[in-house]
Amino acid sequence: MKQYHDLLRHVLENGIKKEDRTGTGTLSTFGYQMRFNLQEGFPLVTTKYVNYEKVLGELLAFIAGETNANVIAEKYRFKTWKLWADEDGELGPVYGKQWRSWWGASSIINRKGIDQLQNVVEQIKTNPNSRRLIVSAWNVGELDDMALPPCHLLFQFYVADGKLSCQLYQRSADLFLGVPYNIASYATLIHMIAQVTGLEVGEFVHTLGDAHIYLNHVEQVKEQLSREPRELPQLGLEPDIKNIDDFDFDDFSLILYNPHPAIKADVSV
């Protein structure tokens, strides 16, 4: 995870102080890219404990198209979305809705959303050289109806030498709390889609727009950077699953994860 630690150092040393929507304030830099070779291990931060069950729960909720924070908390064991939900737990057409039922002009005519995720899986199987293997959550026509516009908003797959890679564009990146989850989530998604399409895993390329450390996380980041990284874990998947919708919690195993203790920090809402 040297790439991630280098990014933290870069922002601590070079970041510009900026005000932000939450009122917390940030150290911010614009435009940064990390690359993770998934053949070398599963990129889950070891310099602090990251709860992988929460990473997995949020991802499974997105794949299921779920947009109610109460359901995400109860069924998928991820409670953080409640911070942005209304009194009924509704979040509006956030990630899962866009991945599985994109609503655009053709949808009005056909009365049916577009399943971007399933479409891209089928394209990887049938036309792996396509340069259109893209899923977008940035649906301009529905942004105002979302509790929180997507931060990680577009991802593209790439197939070469029997390996599946993915590049994510993230417009806004909370480096201490959010980004370790984002890295692990998309690395997991690559493993899942590689398995159901008969490929090996390749690279995860993480491209960031506004990469920031909240001012109330600076001391936590310094503590994290004082720790020595440990060997990356491995991710195991139930090998018989061949459909992206058939995965559940018990189908994943995190092998040899030996992190330093957790470091607490507040979420800026």
Side-chain angles (χ1 to χ4, degrees):
M1 296 298 291
K2 182 178 182 299
Q3 309 92 316
Y4 171 67
H5 298 110
D6 286 348
L7 171 56
L8 291 178
R9 290 189 186 92
H10 173 75
V11 176
L12 278 181
E13 295 170 3
N14 302 291
I16 297 168
K17 272 193 175 182
K18 290 190 69 175
E19 298 300 317
D20 73 288
R21 172 187 55 81
T22 71
T24 307
T26 66
L27 289 175
S28 170
T29 191
F30 186 64
Y32 198 95
Q33 187 176 85
M34 298 180 286
R35 305 182 77 99
F36 301 91
N37 183 347
L38 301 184
Q39 294 284 326
E40 296 177 352
F42 184 71
L44 189 62
V45 170
T46 61
T47 45
K48 68 173 183 179
Y49 170 72
V50 176
N51 188 331
Y52 182 66
E53 183 180 84
K54 291 184 178 179
V55 174
L56 187 56
E58 184 184 42
L59 177 60
L60 292 174
F62 290 164
I63 291 172
E66 184 55 62
T67 60
N68 185 283
N70 296 334
V71 176
I72 294 172
E74 293 164 16
K75 183 176 180 180
Y76 297 99
R77 312 172 195 174
F78 186 81
K79 298 179 180 179
T80 306
W81 274 106
K82 286 190 170 186
L83 295 172
W84 293 280
D86 68 15
E87 62 273 12
D88 298 316
E90 295 299 334
L91 296 163
V94 294
Y95 297 97
K97 167 67 164 57
Q98 304 306 329
W99 288 15
R100 305 311 305 263
S101 185
W102 172 282
W103 196 259
S106 64
S107 304
I108 296 172
I109 298 170
N110 300 321
R111 306 303 301 170
K112 184 179 180 182
I114 298 168
D115 189 342
Q116 295 189 84
L117 188 63
Q118 187 58 47
N119 285 353
V120 87
V121 168
E122 292 306 315
Q123 289 177 57
I124 291 168
K125 290 178 181 178
T126 59
N127 188 17
N129 292 324
S130 174
R131 295 186 288 264
R132 304 175 184 180
L133 304 174
I134 292 171
V135 174
S136 173
W138 193 261
N139 189 338
V140 176
E142 294 195 310
L143 288 179
D144 290 343
D145 297 324
M146 300 179 190
L148 188 68
C151 294
H152 41 103
L153 59 93
L154 181 144
F155 52 102
Q156 178 179 4
F157 292 98
Y158 177 85
V159 181
D161 297 327
K163 296 177 183 177
L164 180 69
S165 297
C166 177
Q167 178 170 202
L168 169 68
Y169 182 75
Q170 185 165 353
R171 66 170 179 87
S172 176
D174 170 0
L175 296 183
F176 181 71
L177 285 180
V179 165
Y181 275 71
N182 302 137
I183 295 169
S185 180
Y186 279 88
T188 302
L189 184 63
I190 296 168
H191 275 270
M192 296 165 73
I193 293 183
Q195 177 165 302
V196 302
T197 57
L199 298 166
E200 297 294 319
V201 293
E203 279 191 303
F204 172 51
V205 183
H206 196 173
T207 302
L208 308 175
D210 187 322
H212 51 267
I213 296 170
Y214 282 104
L215 294 181
N216 61 348
H217 294 169
V218 168
E219 294 307 313
Q220 290 94 325
V221 169
K222 290 178 179 178
E223 179 181 353
Q224 184 176 357
L225 288 173
S226 73
R227 298 173 173 182
E228 190 67 26
R230 295 173 177 172
E231 186 174 351
L232 292 179
Q234 300 292 325
L235 183 67
L237 274 66
E238 170 54 54
D240 293 335
I241 296 179
K242 304 301 179 186
N243 188 315
I244 193 67
D245 292 307
D246 290 345
F247 287 98
D248 205 347
F249 284 96
D250 294 339
D251 299 317
F252 300 83
S253 56
L254 194 60
I255 303 162
L256 299 176
Y257 184 45
N258 179 33
H260 290 265
I263 304 173
K264 292 185 177 181
D266 293 328
V267 178
S268 292
V269 180

